[in-house]
Amino acid sequence: MIMSRTKFKLFFMSMSLFAALSACENDDKPAPVTEVLAVKSITPASGLAGTKVVITGTKFDPTPANNVVLFNTTPATVTAATATTLETTVPVGATTGLITVTTGGTTVKSATPFTVSDRATVDVTGEIKTNTTWTANNVYVLKGFVYVTAGNTLTIEKGTIIKGAGKEADPKAQGQGGSLIIEAGAKIMAVGTAEQPIVFTSSKEPGQRNYGDWGGVVLIGKAPHNQAGSKGPEGGIRGGTTNAGLGTDNIADDNSGTLQYVRIEFAGIALSNTANSEINGLTLYAVGSGTTIDHVQVSYSGDDSFEWFGGTVNSKYLVAYRGYDDDWDTDWGFTGKVQYALSLRDPEYADQSASNGFESDNFNSGEPATGPNAGLPLTAPVFANVSNLVTSGTPSNATIKGSGGYQAGMHLRRNTSISILNSLFVGYPEGLRLDGTATGTYTNATKGTLDLRGIVLANNTLPVTGKGEITDAQATAYFNTAARKNEVKDLASLLLNTANFTLTAPGLLPQATSPLLTGAVWDGKGADAYFTKETFRGAFGTTDWTKGWTNWDPQNTIYK
């Protein structure tokens, strides 16, 4: 059949249009993606020989034998495989290091090391309802709130490692990170040694840890506090023996157990969106003087390092290291005693609430003359030989990487009667902030129930300031009263160790001719027999009591 010229033109045009559209369609299609071999994650990131490990990645061979896996340099057998996962077990003889995967002639390594442990991992959830011992041959992982219930004792062997899992580890646990809570009537016996301290730390791997990776350690006792008996702990932590609140047992010598040579790292989180619903590195509610607490280091707390809510417990040798908010927070009628305490701060990190060395008050709402737990004292602890060190440079503002700035070495407010003796504060914008009413905080100061003696301030923009109804002149006159022997000094004149502010290897002892080695005052509340009557001011004389049990680089420590 012969096609007419018109039909031929129409046919030619339609074929040309089809070809053009086809070309455009082909041009719009993306080039095929070639998957490259990669290791994305390793679960778990540590374990004993024989532990099952799942390697997640790309472009694995679905035939197990076609994939070669090395734990550091030790070969492992692949037992199951898909294009995106390999299952294997930690081989005998493996050592800590990167995992290497070879598939189809291509070799890649994991981004982070796998830690070969000599301890089994034990997950801990819910309630501990019997006397229980945690042993050093295991690593314990706290998931959600773990309560030691009334009448029971948790014993932790020296050298034991406890890891707090983050919020993501237990979505059903009200969204909190792992926390250990010793309820009223329960005890913890965590007795480490300088050579084998007990360590509570993040469950994350070295280099990935951060402020507030988990909750923290909480002790609840039956000692006096000045809140209503129905008042419970912050953030949904249940309270005393009835779990309805802290109660009003008022047992001054109540015993919640022992914490000795213990480190708490990367704890401290907000428990809800409500104000004042945080958990600290170490939180103490109504803990009594029968409890023993000494040689405790809290590092990288996402909230306060130490906070006392009422109670009478005494402590010695405390370290607050690179905390985010306050170091020593005292509330609700705490009346215990503390001697030898060090705070070493990162000048680049502080909280939006304005971080202080001491924050001391009674109630968030103000300054009542007595607490609702009738007849019980307001906050009146005594601290001695404290060193709070922020920086050796200009007074710190900490807006570089933190959420806020530093405020004061001592923020004393809301009718507190705290006393601080023979202590050193360096690098805060304000040394002392005396805050409150003329009939509250200021009266406590002038009549001596709030007592500051042997204090040395250095490197402050405003050494002393008054707030509320207290003027700067009144606060300064109080601080400078001759009998108190307080001083504002030039930093260089203190003759501190040149490594004093080195965060990862601090040299904490003053030089041999430092004026800090003399001048201590033990009048007034300092006459209490609890205190060793040292001649020096600050936390250190000629002995560095942090040696051996502290850790100045927990970010990179391999716990296995």
Side-chain angles (χ1 to χ4, degrees):
M1 180 179 68
I2 299 175
M3 186 181 296
S4 70
R5 180 171 297 192
T6 300
K7 288 182 179 180
F8 178 82
K9 286 182 178 181
L10 290 173
F11 174 79
F12 179 81
M13 291 173 62
S14 64
M15 292 301 293
S16 298
L17 180 60
F18 176 79
L21 289 173
S22 298
C24 291
E25 183 180 354
N26 290 335
D27 289 342
D28 290 340
K29 287 183 179 179
V33 177
T34 302
E35 196 75 71
V36 295
L37 181 63
V39 173
K40 293 183 175 180
S41 65
I42 305 165
T43 306
S46 63
L48 296 161
T51 301
K52 178 183 174 181
V53 175
V54 177
I55 302 169
T56 302
T58 58
K59 205 183 177 184
F60 298 141
D61 192 310
T63 300
N66 292 340
N67 304 277
V68 176
V69 173
L70 300 178
F71 280 73
N72 201 353
T73 58
T74 305
T77 300
V78 178
T79 55
T82 69
T84 57
T85 61
L86 299 177
E87 291 185 11
T88 184
T89 56
V90 181
V92 175
T95 56
T96 296
L98 299 179
I99 288 182
T100 303
V101 177
T102 301
T103 300
T106 302
T107 299
V108 295
K109 293 181 181 292
S110 60
T112 57
F114 181 91
T115 302
V116 179
S117 176
D118 53 4
R119 317 185 201 206
T121 298
V122 178
D123 289 346
V124 186
T125 60
E127 297 179 324
I128 297 175
K129 296 182 177 181
T130 60
N131 291 337
T132 300
T133 298
W134 289 353
T135 56
N137 62 318
N138 294 323
V139 173
Y140 297 87
V141 180
L142 304 171
K143 293 188 174 181
F145 281 0
V146 175
Y147 291 92
V148 180
T149 59
N152 299 302
T153 298
L154 172 63
T155 300
I156 305 178
E157 289 185 350
K158 63 183 180 181
T160 302
I161 295 170
I162 303 97
K163 295 184 177 182
K167 301 176 185 179
E168 70 282 353
D170 191 356
K172 296 181 180 179
Q174 307 173 42
Q176 300 107 345
S179 302
L180 180 62
I181 301 161
I182 311 302
E183 292 195 300
K187 290 182 180 180
I188 181 172
M189 298 302 295
V191 181
T193 65
E195 298 75 22
Q196 293 181 283
I198 294 165
V199 180
F200 292 83
T201 192
S202 170
S203 61
K204 295 183 179 178
E205 292 305 301
Q208 300 178 15
R209 301 163 185 155
N210 206 349
Y211 295 97
D213 277 347
W214 59 290
V217 178
V218 180
L219 273 61
I220 304 172
K222 299 181 181 181
H225 59 87
N226 62 19
Q227 296 292 285
S230 59
K231 179 79 171 182
E234 293 183 347
I237 298 173
R238 68 194 195 193
T241 52
T242 65
N243 297 325
L246 293 177
T248 54
D249 299 281
N250 300 332
I251 303 171
D253 62 351
D254 186 48
N255 185 355
S256 294
T258 299
L259 294 176
Q260 285 183 309
Y261 292 102
V262 171
R263 299 203 303 259
I264 302 170
E265 303 168 350
F266 303 101
I269 59 172
L271 297 178
S272 73
N273 293 325
T274 304
N276 301 311
S277 64
E278 297 85 11
I279 192 169
N280 309 285
L282 178 60
T283 309
L284 304 166
Y285 285 98
V287 176
S289 61
T291 308
T292 299
I293 297 178
D294 64 72
H295 296 90
V296 176
Q297 179 183 22
V298 174
S299 302
Y300 288 92
S301 175
D303 195 62
D304 299 332
S305 294
F306 295 82
E307 185 159 9
W308 294 262
F309 291 90
T312 55
V313 64
N314 305 318
S315 304
K316 287 188 177 182
Y317 305 112
L318 306 181
V319 178
Y321 177 59
R322 300 180 83 154
Y324 205 79
D325 197 4
D326 307 317
D327 299 305
W328 328 107
D329 197 337
T330 61
D331 309 279
W332 294 10
F334 172 51
T335 58
K337 295 179 278 285
V338 176
Q339 188 173 19
Y340 313 117
L342 167 69
S343 165
L344 186 61
R345 296 294 298 248
D346 185 338
E348 296 186 347
Y349 287 88
D351 190 52
Q352 61 185 355
S353 64
S355 298
N356 304 289
F358 281 89
E359 184 175 88
S360 184
D361 58 22
N362 291 285
F363 303 89
N364 281 330
S365 57
E367 291 191 350
T370 58
N373 191 352
L376 295 177
L378 295 183
T379 300
V382 185
F383 285 75
N385 295 111
V386 179
S387 289
N388 269 68
L389 310 174
V390 179
T391 176
S392 60
T394 56
S396 296
N397 194 25
T399 56
I400 301 172
K401 297 175 182 175
S403 61
Y406 284 97
Q407 182 173 259
M410 297 170 284
H411 186 191
L412 313 183
R413 62 181 183 174
R414 295 173 179 159
N415 207 18
T416 183
S417 286
I418 191 174
S419 295
I420 306 169
L421 313 172
N422 303 319
S423 295
L424 171 67
F425 299 88
V426 176
Y428 293 86
E430 300 170 6
L432 167 64
R433 171 180 280 223
L434 198 61
D435 184 358
T437 65
T439 57
T441 308
Y442 186 62
T443 294
N444 296 344
T446 55
K447 73 181 182 182
T449 56
L450 186 164
D451 203 7
L452 302 179
R453 295 175 186 255
I455 302 296
V456 179
L457 304 178
N459 195 33
N460 313 114
T461 304
L462 292 171
V464 180
T465 183
K467 296 295 177 184
E469 296 177 3
I470 305 171
T471 67
D472 290 349
Q474 288 173 320
T476 301
Y478 164 77
F479 183 81
N480 288 337
T481 302
R484 301 188 180 284
K485 299 182 181 179
N486 299 321
E487 295 183 284
V488 177
K489 301 281 285 184
D490 175 75
L491 179 59
S493 71
L494 297 180
L495 297 178
L496 297 172
N497 191 307
T498 54
N500 221 132
F501 300 93
T502 304
L503 291 174
T504 55
L508 297 168
L509 300 184
Q511 297 181 43
T513 56
S514 170
L516 293 173
L517 294 175
T518 59
V521 183
W522 294 106
D523 299 334
K525 294 183 179 180
D528 190 291
Y530 177 79
F531 298 107
T532 302
K533 305 305 188 287
E534 306 285 6
T535 60
F536 57 83
R537 294 169 291 172
F540 302 95
T542 58
T543 300
D544 184 355
W545 47 261
T546 70
K547 290 290 187 183
W549 62 278
T550 54
N551 184 356
W552 306 118
D553 190 17
Q555 179 62 263
N556 294 303
T557 300
I558 297 173
Y559 291 112
K560 61 178 184 175

